[in-house]
Amino acid sequence: MFLEALSNPHRLRIIRILATGKQYVSQLARELGMSRPLLYLHLQKLEEAHIVSSDMELLDSGKAAKYYTLNSFELELNEALISTLAPSLTLKKKTKEDDSKQ
Amino acid sequence: MFLEALSNPHRLRIIRILATGKQYVSQLARELGMSRPLLYLHLQKLEEAHIVSSDMELLDSGKAAKYYTLNSFELELNEALISTLAPSLTLKKKTKEDDSKQ
DNA sequence: ATCACCTGTAATATAATTATTACATATGAA
DNA sequence: TTCATATGTAATAATTATATTACAGGTGAT
């Protein structure tokens, strides 16, 4: 999931922008020139991979906004790491259904 | 391209196996329980990303076999790296057509 | 009430990736 | 010659991922 989340150019751009500071969704959408629904999709993937986090905050205007923050991460990516961690890096979480099917 | 190549479970399994030593395609297909055409697809993506390399060798039987080897790589993956390298990590190489369209 | 912002998502369309099937070709051994 | 084992790829199908459109709802200011 983690590497999968990093495998899209839009998502890397999002990371790059959030690296300069937190932003709320509409603002980010304007900055990226991207529709909000599409941005939502990418933000969700990043959030599921724990690469970003979100929280609601009040703007000065008094309106609520959803702010996204970049989490810090560090991964020494080499062939040895992949050999040991292979499954957990990209596979989606197994559901209980999957287990019982097994 | 590099991160994209690492964003698939099959390809990580391939890496894991090749980490134990080079193998030729048919052998690898049997070991993975995967069809050869599909394996080809994944090996190509890995090779384009320079994660694996291939060369033809003669088996003891006298038949030619295409061996794949895992290249060694090392990438310190963190938010700073992504901020600086963002575009080159996932984008496909631009073609000359792309340039002239621009 | 209307305008200018915000969040959130359902339904759908489009594009890209992944997977299968069916071939053609070559070599050595029985 | 036939069998078993290689490589290689074209054509297609199936599945996921990405992107768009169209909504509904909320708040504060004019």
Side-chain angles (χ1 to χ4, degrees):
Chain A
M1 291 250 45
F2 178 72
L3 289 174
E4 213 171 291
L6 295 177
S7 70
N8 174 289
H10 283 328
R11 292 197 284 274
L12 294 188
R13 285 183 67 211
I14 292 172
I15 291 175
R16 191 162 43 173
I17 291 184
L18 291 183
T20 69
K22 67 179 179 182
Q23 297 230 8
Y24 62 92
V25 180
S26 294
Q27 191 183 21
L28 199 49
R30 281 190 295 268
E31 194 155 334
L32 289 163
M34 184 185 301
S35 75
R36 209 162 37 80
L38 180 55
L39 179 55
Y40 260 81
L41 178 121
H42 289 302
L43 285 172
Q44 271 174 33
K45 296 203 173 184
L46 288 171
E47 193 162 18
E48 282 166 12
H50 304 291
I51 294 169
V52 301
S53 303
S54 63
D55 66 307
M56 298 296 292
E57 292 182 31
L58 277 182
L59 297 178
D60 291 342
S61 67
K63 287 162 192 156
K66 187 175 196 176
Y67 270 92
Y68 272 91
T69 320
L70 180 61
N71 297 328
S72 98
F73 55 91
E74 181 107 21
L75 187 66
E76 186 63 29
L77 198 55
N78 55 38
E79 64 273 27
L81 178 87
I82 290 179
S83 299
T84 52
L85 301 189
S88 61
L89 285 170
T90 54
L91 287 181
K92 323 210 163 185
K93 272 180 202 152
K94 286 189 358 182
T95 63
K96 282 172 188 172
E97 267 96 343
D98 287 339
D99 284 338
S100 50
K101 269 180 205 158
Q102 227 304 34
Chain B
M1 291 248 52
F2 178 72
L3 289 175
E4 215 171 290
L6 295 177
S7 70
N8 174 287
H10 283 327
R11 291 197 283 272
L12 294 187
R13 286 183 66 212
I14 292 171
I15 291 176
R16 190 161 44 172
I17 291 185
L18 291 184
T20 69
K22 67 178 179 183
Q23 297 230 8
Y24 62 92
V25 180
S26 294
Q27 190 183 21
L28 199 49
R30 282 190 294 268
E31 194 155 333
L32 288 164
M34 185 185 299
S35 75
R36 209 162 36 81
L38 180 55
L39 178 56
Y40 260 81
L41 178 119
H42 289 301
L43 285 173
Q44 272 173 31
K45 296 204 170 182
L46 288 171
E47 194 163 17
E48 282 166 11
H50 303 292
I51 294 169
V52 301
S53 303
S54 62
D55 67 305
M56 298 298 289
E57 294 181 29
L58 277 183
L59 299 178
D60 290 343
S61 67
K63 285 161 191 155
K66 187 176 196 177
Y67 271 91
Y68 272 91
T69 320
L70 180 62
N71 296 328
S72 99
F73 55 91
E74 182 106 19
L75 187 66
E76 187 63 28
L77 198 54
N78 55 38
E79 63 274 26
L81 178 86
I82 289 179
S83 299
T84 51
L85 301 188
S88 60
L89 284 170
T90 54
L91 287 181
K92 323 209 164 186
K93 270 180 204 155
K94 285 188 0 181
T95 62
K96 282 173 187 173
E97 265 97 345
D98 287 340
D99 284 340
S100 50
K101 268 181 206 160
Q102 227 303 37

